[in-house]
Amino acid sequence: MTMMSRPEMGVDLARALQEAHRGDQAAWETLFKECYPKVRRVVRRKLNRSMRSLYDSTDFASDVMKSLAAQFDRLEFPSIDSLMAFLAHIAEQKVIDEYRRRHTLKRDITRERPMSAKGVDSGPVQLPSDDPTASEVVQAKELEEQLVSRADETGRTIIELKLQGYSPSAIAERTGWNIRKVQRVLKNLHDSMNDSGG
């Protein structure tokens, strides 16, 4: 097998471009084998360090070639150089678009930190908790005190059992009262808190 010279290769690629326009699969494979590595080089030059840790240049290059295949019947390239210029431009645009998408405030990759981030300005990662905050605990305690102060002896008993996690039916069973009485007392307490803005 002999190596083709540059002019012969250019003629061969120009012929492959024409044949690919006619639908020849072998010509497509020839174009792909020649263009794909060059598109990957363009992508590698455009990817900055933060983007390289997230993306592979082959993903962008494959996407460019897929775009070419989807639009090939609507495009005319007078030469193989114009095809390569078109592919390089598309590759650059895809990298730029992804860079912009990743650097919107919502997806800013400079704000990403590993879970075990340790550094001067990044303290330990704090995950949100389902536990109540200190202010929520204080508010709940104040509400409990208001309810107890407004209730009679029966109401206080029902409130204490409800705070311990008993259901209305369990409170009725435990105290010997009718379940409707327990529900009515709880409803009245609830309504009195809503009426007073509490």
Side-chain angles (χ1 to χ4, degrees), residues 130-141:
D130 290 336
D131 295 338
T133 63
S135 62
E136 291 171 334
V137 170
V138 170
Q139 288 175 348
K141 190 68 176 162

Side-chain angles (χ1 to χ4, degrees), residues 98-160:
E98 189 59 26
Y99 178 86
R100 287 178 180 157
R101 189 182 76 78
R102 291 295 297 183
H103 283 81
T104 60
L105 189 56
K106 180 177 178 181
R107 295 183 181 95
D108 188 359
I109 59 176
T110 62
R111 296 174 61 200
E112 291 180 4
R113 288 191 179 75
M115 293 295 284
S116 62
K118 290 190 170 86
V120 177
D121 59 349
S122 66
V125 176
Q126 295 292 324
L127 298 176
S129 172
D130 290 336
D131 295 338
T133 63
S135 62
E136 291 171 334
V137 170
V138 170
Q139 288 175 348
K141 190 68 176 162
E142 289 173 356
L143 180 61
E144 178 185 337
E145 289 170 2
Q146 287 178 359
L147 286 172
V148 170
S149 69
R150 292 181 184 178
D152 59 3
E153 190 59 38
T154 303
R156 279 193 279 278
T157 304
I158 291 173
I159 291 170
E160 288 173 13

Side-chain angles (χ1 to χ4, degrees), residues 73-99:
D73 58 338
R74 291 179 275 153
L75 301 172
E76 284 292 325
F77 300 104
S79 68
I80 196 68
D81 291 333
S82 63
L83 170 65
M84 290 308 302
F86 172 78
L87 293 175
H89 177 72
I90 295 296
E92 288 175 1
Q93 286 306 126
K94 287 192 180 290
V95 172
I96 290 168
D97 289 346
E98 189 59 26
Y99 178 86

Side-chain angles (χ1 to χ4, degrees), residues 183-197:
Q183 290 171 337
R184 185 175 55 249
V185 169
L186 288 172
K187 184 180 180 327
N188 289 343
L189 288 170
H190 181 269
D191 291 346
S192 71
M193 288 309 299
N194 285 340
D195 292 343
S196 68

